[in-house]
């Protein structure tokens, strides 16, 4: 029988329970906290515990520590070279990575640069070959503002590695890590000088990212060196080694030659190139593995050139069709497309269409990796090679030869021509009434700067066009002949003191170092 009182009692009980549950839920979500008539800025009810943010703080601290340790050993490199030589020797894809990709080259000279890092206390600096290739003037700027002239110790276009040196001792320098031990997804930092034009406002920039991939064959060096008689194998391909580390750390023009470091502050690569349609960062940066660069650097310091070990083959990568056709267990390895008669590989019995799958027990994924591993040895070393032939595994031991890289004659150098009226790159003209009116001077006396050669020493010191030259090294200037006389007396490396005056009568002093 229906009992109205009992039914109402049930409703009250269920409603009360529902209310209490809702009140508890609201309290847990902090909906019942008292409201304020006005917001209190700088306060929040949300609290993040130390334990929750500790991992992020630890990573941030690691970045800070690495940046502080690494940056003092990074340098900015400024170079000058004959423009025709520069155009012939710097790979097209690297030219946009050379400092200031928007530069309008001077008729006879190219000025550019990049980055480098000290690898010893006595002044050895590692950088990219394409930063210093064919330069007849190399200057290094340190974090503390000092600028010194550097000399080229040696360079290897086949790996894009070079070593330069400055005089002195007790320099801060970096230690080497292992690029073999770097893992995809690992945090890395890129340090360098992505400045543009004459300014240095972006120098010593530190960016962070992860290792995106390893063993990237970009074909940059291969394409550039294929037709150079010094760096090809007589029709069996170039000596170039391309086994780049890929990163998403921001890299831009001027970063070339700077270090890629792990969170221990150890160098694991040399920043070398970007994949970009604009010449600026678009998400892909590449570095030369330091295990390869270190071995090349040792040769450059000891011999002034590389001593490249050689097995005497040309090779290409393996795809699924090739793997199926040759009976390979997996889609990897270096497929031999040519064997040099009398070379180490021929003597060891390797043939056309053999696929090398291991070197000294290390599995080979692609040709660049095999080249990288071989290049770390010295001529005369013995290595164990495993390969597939007709679907069967085989092994051979061979003694590495020495590649005849240094035997071919170098192309003739292009003669240098004077590109401006003066040693520092300014053009001057004696003032006349028409020029004075155009520039806004009250009188038509003296000499005015009418042009500053782009990327010259004067341009890099921001010497202004349209200013009158009052003095050079304390000597009064009244004619073009005075300018040439004073500047001709300055020797390479000297600092020239220019006193200039703008049209409103304000005078300023500017200092320019005479190029070597």
């Amino acid at each position: 029988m229906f009992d109205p009182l009992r039914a109402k009692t049930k409703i009250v009980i269920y409603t009360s329970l529902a209310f209490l549950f809702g009140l508890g839920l609201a309290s847990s979500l902090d909906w019942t906290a008292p409201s304020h008539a006005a917001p209190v800025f700088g306060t929040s009810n949300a609290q993040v515990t130390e334990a929750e943010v500790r991992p992020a703080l630890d990573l941030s601290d690691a970045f800070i520590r690495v940046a502080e340790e690494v940056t003092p050993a990074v340098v900015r490199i400024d170079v000058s070279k004959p423009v025709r030589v520069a155009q012939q020797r710097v790979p097209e894809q690297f030219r946009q990575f050379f400092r200031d990709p928007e530069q309008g080259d001077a008729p006879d000279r190219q000025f550019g640069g990049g980055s480098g890092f000290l690898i010893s206390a006595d002044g050895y600096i590692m950088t990219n070959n394409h930063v210093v290739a064919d330069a007849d003037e190399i200057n290094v700027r340190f974090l503390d503002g000092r600028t010194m002239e550097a000399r080229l110790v040696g360079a290897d276009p086949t790996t894009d590695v070079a070593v330069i040196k400055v005089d002195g001792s007790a320099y801060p320098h970096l230690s080497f890590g292992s690029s073999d031990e770097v893992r995809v997804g690992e945090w890395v930092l890129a340090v360098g000088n992505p400045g543009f034009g004459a300014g240095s406002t972006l120098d010593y920039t530190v960016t962070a990212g992860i290792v995106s991939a390893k063993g990237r064959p970009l074909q940059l060096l291969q394409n550039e060196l294929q037709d150079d008689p010094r760096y090809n194998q007589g029709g069996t391909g170039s000596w170039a080694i391309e086994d780049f580390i890929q990163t998403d750390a921001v890299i831009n023009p001027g970063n070339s030659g700077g270090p890629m470091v792990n969170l221990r502050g150890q160098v694991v690569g040399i920043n070398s190139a970007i994949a970009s349609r604009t010449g600026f960062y678009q998400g892909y940066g590449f570095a030369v593995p330091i295990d390869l660069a270190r071995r090349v650097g040792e040769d450059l310091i000891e011999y002034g050139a590389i001593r490249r070990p050689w097995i005497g083959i040309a090779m290409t990568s393996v795809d699924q069709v090739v793997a199926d056709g040759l009976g390979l267990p997996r889609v990897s390895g270096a497929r031999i497309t040519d064997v040099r008669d009398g070379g180490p590989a021929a003597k060891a019995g390797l043939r056309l269409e053999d696929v090398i799958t291991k070197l000294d027990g290390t599995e080979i994924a692609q040709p660049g990796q095999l080249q990288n591993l071989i290049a770390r040895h010295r001529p005369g070393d013995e290595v164990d090679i495993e390969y597939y032939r007709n679907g069967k595994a085989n092994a051979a031991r061979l003694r590495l030869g020495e590649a005849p890289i240094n035997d071919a004659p170098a192309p003739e150098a292009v003669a240098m021509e004077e590109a401006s009226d003066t040693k520092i790159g300014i053009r001057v003209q004696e003032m006349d009434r028409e020029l004075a009116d155009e520039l806004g001077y009250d009188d038509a006396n003296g000499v005015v700067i009418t042009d500053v050669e782009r990327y010259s020493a004067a341009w890099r010191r921001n010497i202004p066009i349209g200013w009158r030259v009052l003095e050079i090294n304390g000597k009064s200037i009244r004619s073009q002949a005075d300018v040439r006389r004073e500047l001709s007396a300055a020797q390479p490396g000297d600092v020239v003191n220019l006193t200039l005056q703008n049209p409103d009568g304000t005078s300023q002093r500017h200092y320019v170092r005479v190029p070597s």
Side-chain angles (χ1 to χ4, degrees), residues 2-268:
F2 177 71
D3 185 345
L5 180 60
R6 181 178 295 177
K8 290 179 181 179
T9 302
K10 288 182 179 180
I11 292 174
V12 171
I13 293 172
Y14 292 153
T15 302
S16 299
L17 291 173
F19 174 78
L20 291 173
F21 175 78
L23 182 61
L25 179 63
S27 298
S28 68
L29 296 177
D30 207 24
W31 289 351
T32 60
S35 60
H36 297 281
V40 179
F41 296 108
T43 63
S44 172
N45 290 325
Q47 296 294 325
V48 180
T49 67
E50 178 75 12
E52 290 172 324
V53 299
R54 190 68 261 166
L57 292 176
D58 289 343
L59 180 60
S60 178
D61 288 342
F63 288 164
I64 293 169
R65 178 183 57 80
V66 172
E68 290 175 344
E69 291 293 326
V70 170
T71 304
V74 176
V75 299
R76 169 176 170 150
I77 299 174
D78 291 304
V79 304
S80 169
K81 65 183 72 177
V83 68
R84 290 188 296 278
V85 170
Q87 289 175 341
Q88 292 170 0
R89 301 286 181 264
V90 178
E92 180 64 37
Q93 295 90 335
F94 283 149
R95 254 174 249 161
Q96 67 176 8
F97 200 59
F98 203 58
R99 185 187 296 280
D100 196 352
E102 298 178 345
Q103 66 186 26
D105 293 332
D108 304 297
R109 307 287 297 166
Q110 182 183 46
F111 296 87
S115 305
F117 55 97
L118 286 145
I119 59 174
S120 69
D122 56 347
Y124 283 99
I125 296 168
M126 189 169 282
T127 184
N128 284 138
N129 169 72
H130 76 265
V131 170
V132 297
D134 298 298
D136 49 26
E137 179 188 351
I138 305 173
N139 289 296
V140 169
R141 179 185 175 93
F142 297 89
L143 180 62
D144 61 11
R146 288 177 299 154
T147 301
M148 297 180 64
E149 186 174 353
R151 64 177 177 85
L152 179 67
V153 174
D156 176 27
T158 68
T159 56
D160 197 28
V161 175
V163 175
I164 61 177
K165 190 178 188 305
V166 292
D167 294 333
S169 60
Y171 290 107
H173 56 284
L174 302 182
S175 61
F176 294 115
S178 172
S179 48
D180 280 352
E181 295 178 3
V182 168
R183 296 181 296 173
V184 174
E186 179 178 343
W187 280 105
V188 290
L189 273 66
V191 188
N193 304 291
F196 303 100
S200 58
T201 55
L202 298 180
D203 281 354
Y204 306 102
T205 293
V206 179
T207 58
I210 63 169
V211 173
S212 304
K214 296 173 66 176
R216 292 301 200 199
L218 302 183
Q219 301 299 311
L220 300 181
L221 302 175
Q222 294 276 358
N223 294 338
E224 182 65 22
L225 300 178
Q226 183 66 48
D227 298 325
D228 191 322
R230 296 175 297 173
Y231 304 116
N232 65 46
Q233 303 184 46
T236 61
S238 80
W239 298 109
I241 298 177
E242 303 201 17
D243 192 36
F244 293 102
I245 299 171
Q246 180 182 332
T247 180
D248 65 353
V250 177
I251 296 175
N252 270 311
N255 278 104
S256 276
M260 172 191 286
V261 299
N262 60 25
L263 292 190
R264 297 180 181 88
Q266 300 169 322
V267 183
V268 295

Side-chain angles (χ1 to χ4, degrees), residues 396-407:
R397 186 170 182 81
L398 60 81
R399 185 181 299 276
L400 299 173
E402 182 170 355
I405 290 179
N406 302 312
D407 297 341

